[in-house]
């Protein structure tokens, strides 16, 4: 019998990285062949998702710290601040629970390759279900934040436009929240009880979420277009930059980001999970724009208590750039003049000044002369120690 080498043909060699491993199935009799390339692909997706969740957790944490440290104390009780704070906290907790999927028993090699979930711990079931359920309050807070932010921009519009935008925003938000609850119920039953996953709920929820975010992005950017048309530029005009202009610019530009991530959900880009990024981008962008607008509108909130009463010429010019034209200059001058008038016309301030003058007047000539003699004594000591002097 001729050997393969005698005919000149060599047997094809299997590349080591393309080999497969064989796993026993749940029954112990069926063999499951798993290529190493599939294992590498699963680990690659897990690494990408872990980095994704970690980045979002860091963004939410940093924005929460900035919100808590930069918001004045008297504004913590306002509804937008409470909503932004709760949204950041809940989204951060939800992302942590989602990230715990990878070190859990869900992500063991056997479960991932065979689909046999009988060895998944109950605590891992509970963590996955909790992360899914938290999507409902996060969605509610997100929609409330968008409605409140949009209302601050459209309240100066004509009545018909304000009513139309309010009705559409309310219907879209309520429908999105309703489908978010439905999707959460279906997914939770699938996780805990293994019921059949109704994919149509997810496929209906994604267009609703995309429509809702796109609608609010349209509202914000319509104000931005109006601002650009009135000022002929996106940059501040010579009259200055109002706080509402800052809110319009930041919300208009930043809301484009979640729209892009929402529409990425309709395509598979290497397993990149863009849905959670869309939520996080909205939750982070809205309080950021509000803080910037508050900083420009009320700089005294972020300064020391005595800073507002000792404005220099440079500070006055900076304040003027944040106002509009001569009206801002007049308002600043009126404010300064008002402070001066209150100081001049206030009798207690006069009495305080008289008391200080009386205390200064109690310093008699003997004390002053004593201070002079100390100075002369120091001068004579210096003269004695000076080289080349007559007394040396």
């Amino acid at each position: 019998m001729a050997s393969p080498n005698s005919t000149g043909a060599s047997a094809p060699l299997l590349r080591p990285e393309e080999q497969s491993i064989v796993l026993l199935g749940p029954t112990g009799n069926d063999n499951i062949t798993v290529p190493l390339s599939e294992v590498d692909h699963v680990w690659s997706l897990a690494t990408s998702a872990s980095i994704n969740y970690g980045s979002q957790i860091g963004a939410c944490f940093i924005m929460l710290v900035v919100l808590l440290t930069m918001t004045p104390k008297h504004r913590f009780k306002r509804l937008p601040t409470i909503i932004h704070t709760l949204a950041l906290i809940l989204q951060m907790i939800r992302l942590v629970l989602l990230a715990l999927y990878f070190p859990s028993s869900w992500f063991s090699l056997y479960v991932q390759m065979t689909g046999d979930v009988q060895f998944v711990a109950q605590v891992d079931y509970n963590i996955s279900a909790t992360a899914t359920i938290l999507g409902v309050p996060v969605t509610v807070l997100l929609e409330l934040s968008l409605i409140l932010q949009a209302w601050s921009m459209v309240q100066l519009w004509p009545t018909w436009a304000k009513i139309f935008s309010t009705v559409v925003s309310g219907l879209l938000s309520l429908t999105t929240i309703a489908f978010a609850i439905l999707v959460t119920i279906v997914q939770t039953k699938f996780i805990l009880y293994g019921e059949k996953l109704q994919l149509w709920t997810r496929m209906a929820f994604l267009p609703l979420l995309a429509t809702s975010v796109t609608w609010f992005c349209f509202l914000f950017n319509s104000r931005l277009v109006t601002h650009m048309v009135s000022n002929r530029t996106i940059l501040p005009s010579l009259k200055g930059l109002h706080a509402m202009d800052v809110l319009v610019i930041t919300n208009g530009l930043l809301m484009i980001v979640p729209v892009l991530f929402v529409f990425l959900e309709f395509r598979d880009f290497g397993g990149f999970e863009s849905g959670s990024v869309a939520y996080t981008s909205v939750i982070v962008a809205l309080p950021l724009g509000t803080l910037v607008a508050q900083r420009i509108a009320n700089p005294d909130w972020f300064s020391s208590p005595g800073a507002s009463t000792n404005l220099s010429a440079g500070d006055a010019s900076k304040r003027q750039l944040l106002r509009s034209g001569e009206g801002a200059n007049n308002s600043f001058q009126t404010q300064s003049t008002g402070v001066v008038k209150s100081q001049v016309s206030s009798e207690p301030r006069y009495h305080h000044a008289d008391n200080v003058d009386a205390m200064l007047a109690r310093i008699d000539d003997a004390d002053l002369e004593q201070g002079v003699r100390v100075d002369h004594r120091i001068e004579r000591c210096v003269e004695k120690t000076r080289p080349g002097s007559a007394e040396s």
Side-chain angles (χ1 to χ4, degrees):
M1 183 175 178
S3 61
N5 293 332
S6 62
T7 60
S10 59
L13 297 177
L14 177 65
R15 300 179 61 179
E17 70 273 12
E18 294 179 354
Q19 61 182 315
S20 302
I21 58 176
V22 179
L23 300 176
L24 294 178
T27 61
N29 297 324
D30 49 345
N31 296 333
I32 301 175
T33 302
V34 179
L36 290 182
S37 58
E38 185 176 349
V39 178
D40 293 338
H41 178 67
V42 171
W43 283 106
S44 176
L45 294 180
T47 304
S48 175
S50 300
I51 295 174
N52 187 3
Y53 290 145
S55 302
Q56 295 180 64
I57 293 171
C60 290
F61 177 76
I62 293 175
M63 191 63 239
L64 180 62
V65 172
V66 171
L67 180 63
L68 295 178
T69 55
M70 296 298 294
T71 302
K73 293 181 180 179
H74 66 277
R75 297 183 67 85
F76 275 114
K77 296 181 180 180
R78 295 181 68 252
L79 184 60
T81 305
I82 296 175
I83 291 177
H84 293 328
T85 304
L86 290 177
L88 287 169
I89 293 175
L90 289 181
Q91 178 67 355
M92 189 164 52
I93 295 175
R94 177 172 175 265
L95 290 170
V96 171
L97 295 178
L98 289 175
L100 289 177
Y101 171 82
F102 301 104
S104 68
S105 56
W106 282 107
F107 204 72
S108 65
L109 182 61
Y110 173 77
V111 174
Q112 289 292 317
M113 297 297 109
T114 63
D116 184 10
V117 297
Q118 61 178 329
F119 301 106
V120 177
Q122 183 62 40
V123 63
D124 295 331
Y125 277 99
N126 297 335
I127 290 176
S128 298
T130 305
T132 303
I133 294 173
L134 281 178
V136 173
V138 169
T139 304
V140 172
L141 292 173
L142 182 141
E143 295 293 334
L144 287 177
S145 300
L146 290 173
I147 290 176
L148 290 176
Q149 204 82 310
W151 175 251
S152 64
M153 295 186 179
V154 303
Q155 59 181 343
L156 299 179
W157 288 10
T159 304
W160 66 269
K162 182 165 56 176
I163 295 176
F164 175 76
S165 60
T166 303
V167 171
V168 174
S169 300
L171 291 177
L172 274 177
S173 298
L174 291 177
T175 308
T176 304
I177 292 172
F179 267 84
I181 297 174
L182 178 61
V183 171
T184 301
I185 293 175
V186 172
Q187 290 183 345
T188 303
K189 288 183 176 181
F190 170 75
I191 294 172
L192 295 179
Y193 309 112
E195 294 187 7
K196 185 178 180 181
L197 186 62
Q198 303 292 333
L199 294 178
W200 70 268
T201 57
R202 179 69 178 174
M203 299 305 296
F205 174 67
L206 284 179
L208 275 176
L209 180 62
T211 305
S212 176
V213 176
T214 306
W215 166 254
F216 285 104
C217 181
F218 165 75
L219 289 182
F220 296 155
N221 281 280
S222 62
R223 281 290 280 131
L224 179 59
V225 171
T226 305
H227 168 80
M228 293 174 60
V229 171
S230 60
N231 293 302
R232 301 296 189 272
T233 178
I234 195 174
L235 299 175
S237 63
L238 295 177
K239 295 181 179 180
L241 188 63
H242 297 274
M244 182 57 68
D245 295 333
V246 177
L247 195 63
V248 168
I249 293 173
T250 53
N251 288 339
L253 295 180
L254 293 178
M255 278 299 295
I256 298 177
V257 177
V259 171
L260 297 178
F261 284 121
V262 166
F263 281 98
L264 288 179
E265 277 286 294
F266 295 96
R267 297 291 300 273
D268 184 12
F269 291 91
F272 175 71
E273 185 181 347
S274 59
S276 60
V277 183
Y279 276 78
T280 302
S281 57
V282 175
I283 293 173
V284 171
L286 292 182
L288 178 61
T290 303
L291 284 176
V292 174
Q294 288 178 357
R295 179 64 179 85
I296 289 182
N298 304 281
D300 294 339
W301 291 353
F302 306 89
S303 60
S304 59
S308 58
T309 59
N310 297 321
L311 289 174
S312 61
D315 295 333
S317 62
K318 292 178 182 179
R319 286 283 300 274
Q320 183 178 354
L321 287 177
L322 302 180
R323 304 294 182 180
S324 59
E326 297 178 357
N329 194 14
N330 293 336
S331 63
F332 175 77
Q333 292 177 356
T334 303
Q335 180 182 1
S336 302
T337 308
V339 173
V340 173
K341 285 183 179 180
S342 63
Q343 292 177 355
V344 172
S345 61
S346 177
E347 293 183 359
R349 292 182 182 271
Y350 253 130
H351 291 314
H352 178 70
D354 293 338
N355 293 333
V356 174
D357 293 336
M359 293 178 63
L360 293 176
R362 291 176 184 174
I363 302 177
D364 54 5
D365 295 338
D367 294 334
L368 295 176
E369 183 61 27
Q370 183 179 1
V372 173
R373 285 198 297 268
V374 171
D375 293 338
H376 285 314
R377 190 182 304 114
I378 294 175
E379 290 181 0
R380 285 196 293 270
C381 292
V382 173
E383 289 292 336
K384 288 181 179 181
T385 58
R386 185 181 299 170
S389 61
E391 298 179 1
S392 60

